[in-house]
Amino acid sequence: MKQFEFLNLAKVNAPYMDDIRRAVDNVVISGRYIGGEENARFERTMSEIHGVEYAVGVSNGLDALRLILETYKILGRLNPGDEVIVPANTYIATVMAIIQAGLTPVPVEPSLHTLNIDSAAIEPALTPRTRAIMTVHLYGRVAYDDTMRELVRKHNLLLFEDNAQAIGAVSSTEGLYGNCMTGALGDAAAFSFYPTKNIGAMGDAGAVLTPHAEVAETVRALANYGSDRRYHNIYSGFNCRLDPVQAAVLNVKLKHLGEESARRQALAAVYDRHITNPKVTKPAIPASPSEHVWHQYVILAPDRDRFRKDLAANGVQTDIHYATPPHRQPCYATRFASLHLPVTDRIADHCISLPISPATTPQDAEEIAAIINSL
Ligand SMILES: *Cc1c(COP(=O)(O)O)cnc(C)c1O
């Protein structure tokens, strides 16, 4: 029986292998193993792609989030205990970064239609202590709209983006500073290049984008022991630098961002056209297709675990993003014990991620859809 792998990273990277070997070899030969030309080029590329003035390469996505929040504390724009609006159904890193920065995450329910934070549910969650929205473009779909833009303006909030899953997505609503790509919409954005992301490194890597010079400078200093120049430490910082070997890999792959997004969008279109099983809820396709880069293609099924088993029995590997939302994780269950988040719980109980990596072909997607329809 044909096997449909969920994700095979060696296959995903195979088309880039020659270029990656050459790029990594250049780092090896250069003798420069911290910072250097590959990092500088990575930051220039990220800045150009997104039309945002400042990009700082960092160690990973969680550190990117933490550096943004620590920076805003240093700049006096955030203070311990300030509240940050966050989607309740995000990957735990978003919530963890906020808590580790001494801030208070306020989880807000997603919309069952977009599976992203429900902008209409944000205003009731605002209090006099709310200082920021940390939006998450979950599964690759833009989580920003006119309602969110107006709220940020009206209440003078900071807008941060967790763009770990949506590099390359384009918002239909203009960002606060005139840009449209995710990661360019607000005051600062965190990127992750964890190997499974749409653009994945061969290890950990991340980036911070911001239109504000003082934010970029502070993030860069904090990520390098709080040092503004050699052996001169103005902050008690961290070591969150980007590895130049990873920068070299990413410089190869970032050139193909457009193709990678288009390939995922084409697979999503095949699933959307061919899945007709009435038990299955398909993800909504946005009016503008570029608003979604399909990091995951997530369906909802009533008897999820049974459905997954049946898919597996037919050779279709699937995954779950995420079975346990942050408010139910052991580390935060006490903190969030009083929260009632039925939409988040419902998604967690019913979601199934179908194969959508670049190693999946449109033919595979059609066959997977046929298997789904037969169940
Ligand atoms: C992957 C991910 C992160 C964390 O990125 P790392 O590079 O693994 O630290 C943060 N937020 C979201 C939404 C993610 O998917």
Side-chain angles (χ1 to χ4, degrees):
M1 186 182 42
K2 182 163 168 184
Q3 292 295 314
F4 301 92
E5 285 181 305
F6 183 73
L7 182 63
N8 179 328
L9 290 173
K11 277 192 191 157
V12 167
N13 286 316
Y16 306 123
M17 215 49 99
D18 289 344
D19 287 347
I20 288 173
R21 284 217 173 93
R22 212 170 300 127
V24 170
D25 212 35
N26 286 339
V27 177
V28 173
I29 293 164
S30 76
R32 171 122 198 218
Y33 306 130
I34 296 288
E37 185 44 43
E38 293 289 351
N39 285 41
R41 189 143 67 88
F42 168 79
E43 291 176 351
R44 272 198 312 274
T45 306
M46 284 294 287
S47 162
E48 277 166 24
I49 290 175
H50 296 90
V52 174
E53 188 101 16
Y54 304 99
V56 184
V58 301
S59 37
N60 58 61
L62 175 63
D63 286 346
L65 290 163
R66 296 169 58 199
L67 288 163
I68 289 169
L69 298 170
E70 292 299 335
T71 289
Y72 273 86
K73 278 162 57 190
I74 285 175
L75 297 176
R77 299 286 308 276
L78 288 176
N79 291 295
D82 281 353
E83 293 176 5
V84 181
I85 300 287
V86 65
N89 63 324
T90 185
Y91 177 59
I92 197 164
T94 328
V95 174
M96 213 172 251
I98 294 168
I99 290 173
Q100 289 178 355
L103 305 164
T104 303
V106 177
V108 167
E109 287 265 67
S111 133
L112 258 182
H113 179 69
T114 63
L115 307 182
N116 267 331
I117 191 167
D118 181 357
S119 290
I122 295 176
E123 193 152 35
L126 299 179
T127 78
R129 296 229 58 178
T130 313
R131 291 287 172 275
I133 298 175
M134 173 72 77
T135 194
V136 181
H137 309 294
L138 197 72
Y139 306 144
R141 181 176 179 134
V142 174
Y144 175 75
D145 55 14
D146 293 338
T147 307
M148 193 183 287
R149 187 177 205 266
E150 288 314 305
L151 274 180
V152 168
R153 289 266 161 102
K154 181 170 151 200
H155 298 277
N156 196 22
L157 302 174
L158 296 162
L159 177 65
F160 303 132
E161 295 169 84
D162 179 338
N163 198 31
Q165 301 192 0
I167 187 169
V170 183
S171 170
S172 301
T173 298
E174 190 179 272
L176 302 182
Y177 303 98
N179 288 313
C180 287
M181 291 189 78
T182 57
L185 299 172
D187 293 293
F191 288 73
S192 166
F193 301 94
Y194 185 79
T196 63
K197 307 293 186 188
N198 285 24
I199 297 291
M202 293 185 162
D204 280 305
V208 172
L209 251 62
T210 176
H212 308 304
E214 72 278 16
V215 172
E217 270 164 40
T218 310
V219 166
R220 190 180 296 285
L222 273 180
N224 187 27
Y225 296 102
S227 150
D228 60 342
R229 56 191 155 83
R230 196 163 141 88
Y231 299 134
H232 188 261
N233 305 78
I234 51 175
Y235 312 119
S236 179
F238 312 96
N239 177 354
C240 298
R241 295 176 300 231
L242 172 63
D243 178 347
V245 171
Q246 301 308 331
V249 171
L250 293 170
N251 287 335
V252 170
K253 294 184 74 177
L254 278 172
K255 287 195 192 113
H256 303 276
L257 174 60
E259 300 149 47
E260 289 294 344
S261 306
R263 203 198 313 256
R264 286 171 183 270
Q265 285 158 345
L267 288 173
V270 172
Y271 279 137
D272 189 60
R273 201 172 326 119
H274 291 276
I275 297 175
T276 54
N277 186 330
K279 289 188 293 245
V280 168
T281 306
K282 292 182 281 188
I285 307 267
S288 163
S290 49
E291 280 219 327
H292 210 322
V293 290
W294 301 98
H295 176 57
Q296 302 297 349
Y297 186 93
V298 176
I299 59 170
L300 304 177
D303 191 356
R304 190 258 312 277
D305 296 337
R306 181 67 214 273
F307 205 82
R308 271 194 91 201
K309 269 198 198 116
D310 291 345
L311 284 169
N314 284 279
V316 181
Q317 289 182 9
T318 58
D319 207 337
I320 298 181
H321 301 94
Y322 302 93
T324 309
H327 73 284
R328 296 198 179 280
Q329 291 290 353
C331 56
Y332 298 140
T334 310
R335 164 189 285 264
F336 293 127
S338 64
L339 282 186
H340 179 58
L341 298 165
V343 183
T344 298
D345 289 337
R346 183 158 155 201
I347 294 170
D349 290 343
H350 297 290
C351 63
I352 304 177
S353 305
L354 301 181
I356 195 160
S357 89
T360 302
T361 66
Q363 179 62 34
D364 293 337
E366 214 175 310
E367 290 170 32
I368 292 168
I371 292 167
I372 288 171
N373 295 340
S374 74
L375 299 179

